[in-house]
Amino acid sequence: MGVLFQLAAYGCGLLTIAVLVMMFQLGRPLFVDGQFFSLLSQVWQPGQQLYGIYPMIIGSIRISFLALALSFPVSLGTAFLAAGLAPRPMQRWVLAMVRLMAGIPTVVYGFVAIFLLVPLVREHVSRGSGLNILTASLVLAVLIAPTMVVFFVNGLRGVDQSYCRATDALGATAVQRLLYLQLPQGWPTIVSGVIMGLGRAMGDTLVSLMVAGNSIGVPTSIVDSARTLTAHIALVIAADFASMEFASIFACGLVLYLFTMAVVIGLRMLVHLRTGSDR
Amino acid sequence: MRTLLEKSVPLLAWAGFTVLAGALAAILGYIVMRSWAVLHLSLLFGDVAPIDAIFLRHPVFDGLFPAVAGTFLLVLIAVLLAVPVGMAAGIYLAEYAGYRMKSCLSLLFDILAGLPSVVVGLAGFSLTILLHKVFPGKIGPCLLLSALALCFLILPYLIRTTQTALESVPLSLRQTAPALGATKLQNICKVLLPSKLTDILGGIILAVGRAAEDTAVIMLTGVVASAGIPRSLFEQFEALPFYIYYISSQYTNAEELQTGFGAAMLLLVLCGILFLLAFFTQQTLSRHFRR
């Protein structure tokens, strides 16, 4: 029986590696004379045999960082309420609301955004279709907020109770306790939350596919339409398995894979930092 | 300066919360408002009598029943595939693995958990192509491959839930059965797992929710807009989240759009129920154990 458990665990571990290997295998045309790296910096113009994913990389980065910038203050504020500023019974309700938001399917966020947010953006902010970086970032900001709030609250509440009692005994207000005790003490978890939020924004497919417009140019402003790496994978279904167009989706997949690895390793280093500083 | 900061922080906090709560209210309110008119049985079954539809005596053409049935079958297969493997791997990680193996494997599982679902879908798609090369003409995008890819997606959650549940068993309980002569396996199956059953169950329910809402994975591995109810594992199928996505870009008239809102409401309620279920399962456990 123990062997079966071991087999299952090794199998799942191998799965992670197999995902990478399969992408290498099918994206083989990419690795003939260093094309992978030139693909990262080229534009996408199939008419001229250019299948670069540079516009998608820029699109992904712009959308997710803007979403993060929009979501951070909102999430931090909500976490402040849930971790001390709001009256006790309300703290629970705030957390319940955040959990509920985490349970809303991504596709529903996208669907509502198309019919509710896109017309607003179209009329008041940009001309054209209303499908652009700003719209996608606004939706993603709401989408990643629950993840970040949960991390922030854990970080802020994770402070040793004796410290909290000490600040209370010194006459500190709830705001002072948050600012000068809980925030400085909980920052590694807060940074983890930000990284997780970025990861979710970067990895989300449906919202950017539905409301970012999917144009293939390099976006120059936040009201430009853009295509993300994830949306590119979902959009390109080429019939010719040996073509560069087909291989380009595996280039996107590899970039996203490497990004995930960086996120996971970054989070681990943060945890080590935290446990290291405790010693 | 300090007092200014201290005064502005509550303001920021309440403003942030108001924005978030407002967004949630807008999303929920809008869906309820737009789908209210279509929320009755004909949304699911069209003109066909529900009994006939459920027992497959009559195909449903203008209702959501095939999509709901597709999602149900898909999630069922994915969870049946993932739960035994995920729990076994979780048990290995918590009870058997040595320190080095454990940190190596959990790094791999963390990466798997962090992969965007579209990359998992791409892996499923690659698998389809490779299988197609091995068995030409026999295997294409289908229900089984979609379920397999979804299983990859939820595996890391199941592993992590099982592992943390087992590791949180208090030492006193952990050592009781071995002290009475139980083997390691008996201890795991009869003491450790039952004591954390609700925790693990909550994790499984959450995994079901994740599998039910995911769209990117199935988009690349076999879902189609109209297929009816699949009659075998090797057929293409419909699914609720994909239907919503499809309607958002391809609707031709107001009626179809209404059905789309109805589908969004249905998926929302389904995921909401799963979430509440998971939440209360885990809550009752922690209360039960504190006594």
Side-chain angles (χ1 to χ4, degrees):
Chain A
M1 209 51 189
V3 183
L4 277 183
F5 295 152
Q6 192 172 9
L7 266 180
Y10 286 6
C12 295
L14 277 180
L15 183 67
T16 314
I17 300 165
V19 171
L20 190 62
V21 171
M22 276 196 291
M23 285 197 291
F24 271 115
Q25 170 73 16
L26 287 163
R28 236 175 340 186
L30 292 172
F31 303 100
V32 188
D33 30 88
Q35 285 202 59
F36 180 68
F37 295 100
S38 58
L39 223 56
L40 295 182
S41 56
Q42 272 173 4
V43 292
W44 176 266
Q45 269 167 350
Q48 296 170 24
Q49 301 294 316
L50 288 177
Y51 297 102
I53 55 169
Y54 177 71
M56 295 76 176
I57 295 177
I58 295 297
S60 271
I61 290 175
R62 290 250 165 105
I63 288 180
S64 46
F65 275 89
L66 184 59
L68 197 63
L70 290 169
S71 192
F72 181 74
V74 171
S75 306
L76 194 64
T78 310
F80 275 176
L81 283 195
L85 284 189
R88 281 243 160 220
M90 196 187 148
Q91 292 184 6
R92 266 223 214 131
W93 282 105
V94 173
L95 275 181
M97 181 192 93
V98 169
R99 291 227 172 79
L100 178 72
M101 286 188 83
I104 297 179
T106 324
V107 69
V108 171
Y109 278 111
F111 194 74
V112 172
I114 286 186
F115 299 104
L116 194 63
L117 186 64
V118 169
L120 283 176
V121 172
R122 185 163 50 213
E123 277 163 33
H124 298 288
V125 187
S126 71
R127 298 211 184 89
S129 65
L131 302 171
N132 54 39
I133 291 181
L134 179 68
T135 323
S137 300
L138 282 169
V139 184
L140 279 179
V142 179
L143 185 83
I144 64 175
T147 314
M148 300 220 292
V149 172
V150 167
F151 268 84
F152 292 175
V153 171
N154 283 343
L156 294 174
R157 278 193 180 167
V159 177
D160 203 327
Q161 276 299 310
S162 59
Y163 292 178
C164 291
R165 290 207 193 95
T167 47
D168 289 350
L170 288 171
T173 60
V175 179
Q176 285 168 333
R177 192 178 67 217
L178 263 174
L179 280 179
Y180 310 125
L181 173 69
Q182 286 168 289
L183 202 56
Q185 283 282 313
W187 77 265
T189 318
I190 290 177
V191 177
S192 300
V194 170
I195 297 177
M196 283 298 284
L198 183 67
R200 275 213 73 182
M202 203 69 140
D204 182 80
T205 314
L206 262 292
V207 168
S208 37
L209 184 62
M210 287 164 97
V211 298
N214 296 322
S215 80
I216 45 157
V218 180
T220 50
S221 81
I222 62 163
V223 290
D224 267 2
S225 159
R227 183 185 287 197
T228 59
L229 290 164
T230 47
H232 185 67
I233 296 178
L235 283 168
V236 176
I237 310 271
D240 181 6
F241 290 167
S243 69
M244 276 308 283
E245 192 180 2
F246 184 67
S248 77
I249 65 173
F250 292 97
C252 292
L254 283 172
V255 171
L256 287 168
Y257 196 104
L258 295 178
F259 171 75
T260 309
M261 274 176 73
V263 164
V264 169
I265 292 169
L267 287 174
R268 293 215 149 196
M269 283 164 72
L270 264 178
V271 173
H272 277 287
L273 197 71
R274 192 171 37 191
T275 46
S277 66
D278 278 352
R279 267 176 223 146
Chain B
M1 191 59 208
R2 280 203 153 184
T3 46
L4 187 69
L5 179 71
E6 283 165 19
K7 273 181 189 152
S8 59
V9 162
L11 221 62
L12 166 92
W14 285 100
F17 172 69
T18 314
V19 169
L20 209 56
L24 178 65
I27 292 167
L28 296 183
Y30 189 66
I31 290 192
V32 171
M33 195 182 79
R34 291 290 299 259
S35 67
W36 194 249
V38 289
L39 284 185
H40 36 79
L41 269 182
S42 69
L43 174 70
L44 273 180
F45 300 109
D47 309 326
V48 182
I51 295 287
D52 285 351
I54 288 168
F55 290 103
L56 307 180
R57 279 184 291 212
H58 204 291
V60 176
F61 293 111
D62 50 356
L64 292 173
F65 182 64
V68 174
T71 290
F72 178 76
L73 285 174
L74 181 73
V75 172
L76 187 72
I77 301 168
V79 169
L80 284 181
L81 287 172
V83 165
V85 181
M87 277 181 70
I91 292 170
Y92 177 76
L93 226 54
E95 302 296 323
Y96 291 86
Y99 176 75
R100 190 164 292 179
M101 199 66 220
K102 192 168 168 174
S103 61
C104 179
L105 280 174
S106 49
L107 178 68
L108 287 175
F109 297 153
D110 280 353
I111 293 175
L112 192 60
L115 282 182
S117 65
V118 74
V119 174
V120 178
L122 189 60
F125 180 61
S126 314
L127 188 67
T128 317
I129 296 172
L130 294 176
L131 285 176
H132 190 80
K133 278 183 186 158
V134 182
F135 309 101
K138 280 188 186 149
I139 286 191
C142 65
L143 183 61
L144 183 64
L145 281 166
S146 274
L148 199 61
L150 269 186
C151 154
F152 297 168
L153 187 77
I154 57 177
L155 261 179
Y157 296 91
L158 295 171
I159 296 172
R160 183 65 76 227
T161 315
T162 313
Q163 186 199 348
T164 42
L166 287 178
E167 280 173 352
S168 66
V169 176
L171 206 61
S172 55
L173 184 62
R174 176 179 289 277
Q175 289 176 336
T176 310
L180 296 170
T183 63
K184 188 166 192 175
L185 190 62
Q186 281 172 333
N187 191 27
I188 292 171
C189 297
K190 302 212 163 135
V191 180
L192 302 184
L193 279 180
S195 77
K196 288 287 169 183
L197 199 60
T198 31
D199 251 10
I200 297 173
L201 203 64
I204 293 176
I205 299 172
L206 283 182
V208 169
R210 242 191 95 69
E213 67 126 348
D214 196 89
T215 324
V217 170
I218 54 176
M219 258 167 91
L220 290 168
T221 50
V223 75
V224 285
S226 134
I229 293 168
R231 297 195 176 264
S232 87
L233 288 175
F234 301 101
E235 272 181 32
Q236 297 195 307
F237 59 98
E238 292 177 40
L240 207 48
F242 182 76
Y243 180 83
I244 297 170
Y245 165 69
Y246 178 80
I247 285 293
S248 77
S249 57
Q250 309 284 335
Y251 72 95
T252 49
N253 54 39
E255 208 173 308
E256 272 184 20
L257 187 58
Q258 277 262 302
T259 319
F261 274 104
M265 183 74 194
L266 210 59
L267 189 64
L268 195 62
V269 170
L270 184 75
C271 288
I273 290 174
L274 285 172
F275 249 73
L276 285 178
L277 212 60
F279 183 67
F280 284 116
T281 317
Q282 284 170 341
Q283 285 288 304
T284 41
L285 162 106
S286 45
R287 240 175 255 149
H288 181 77
F289 249 73
R290 244 175 254 145
R291 267 180 218 149

